[in-house]
């Protein structure tokens, strides 16, 4: 069973950085999709970044392009999200998600409905 556990959230000042990590366990996979999403109070969950492990193909929301970077660490079996140049509007609960396949040739769009497996989330708070 797919299990995802996020860590690395915290409180930083605007302009600061954080590195979020998603520990993946419970299944083996080859070419799959992982995503990072966020949800602020009173707002809908939005896609932040997606990585397709069949070649490391990435996709980012326009609001984070050039500031955030998603990566996969095979040795640690994690999917990480580096957050740089943080802004107060980046404040949200950040969630890791997986499409749950063991091997797929399909690169998923960065939409919540494409990712049936979710972690519990980690809070990021950016103060001005």
């Amino acid at each position: 069973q797919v299990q995802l556990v996020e860590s690395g959230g915290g409180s930083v000042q605007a302009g600061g950085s954080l590195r979020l990590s998603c520990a993946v366990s419970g299944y083996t996979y080859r070419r799959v999709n992982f995503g990072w999403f966020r949800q602020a109070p009173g707002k809908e969950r939005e896609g932040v970044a997606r990585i397709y492990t069949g070649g490391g193909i990435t996709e980012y929301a326009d609001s984070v392009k050039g500031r955030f970077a998603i990566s996969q660490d095979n040795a640690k079996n994690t999917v990480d999200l580096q957050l740089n140049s943080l802004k107060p509007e980046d404040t949200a609960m950040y969630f890791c998600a997986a499409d749950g396949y063991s091997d797929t040739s399909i690169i998923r769009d960065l939409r919540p409905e494409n990712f049936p497996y979710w972690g519990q989330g980690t809070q990021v708070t950016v103060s001005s």
Side-chain angles (χ1 to χ4, degrees), residues 50-126:
R50 187 268 294 129
I51 186 167
Y52 174 66
T53 62
I57 300 171
T58 58
E59 177 189 359
Y60 296 93
D62 288 342
S63 58
V64 307
K65 281 181 182 176
R67 300 189 299 121
F68 291 8
I70 188 171
S71 61
Q72 182 193 15
D73 188 324
N74 288 320
K76 296 180 180 179
N77 208 18
T78 61
V79 179
D80 301 328
L81 185 68
Q82 179 68 37
L83 290 64
N84 297 324
S85 302
L86 282 161
K87 305 175 181 179
E89 51 264 43
D90 294 318
T91 295
M93 184 72 78
Y94 283 71
F95 298 90
C96 175
D99 66 7
Y101 290 89
S102 59
D103 188 35
T104 179
S105 60
I106 299 175
I107 300 173
R108 309 286 175 185
D109 290 338
L110 190 55
R111 290 180 290 149
E113 57 265 35
N114 288 332
F115 296 83
Y117 297 94
W118 294 81
Q120 82 290 348
T122 185
Q123 178 68 37
V124 172
T125 303
V126 185

Side-chain angles (χ1 to χ4, degrees), residues 2-8 20-25 34 36 77-80 94-97 117-122:
V2 179
Q3 294 184 339
L4 306 170
V5 180
E6 302 95 333
S7 62
L20 308 183
S21 186
C22 174
V24 182
S25 63
F34 291 103
W36 279 95
N77 208 18
T78 61
V79 179
D80 301 328
Y94 283 71
F95 298 90
C96 175
Y117 297 94
W118 294 81
Q120 82 290 348
T122 185

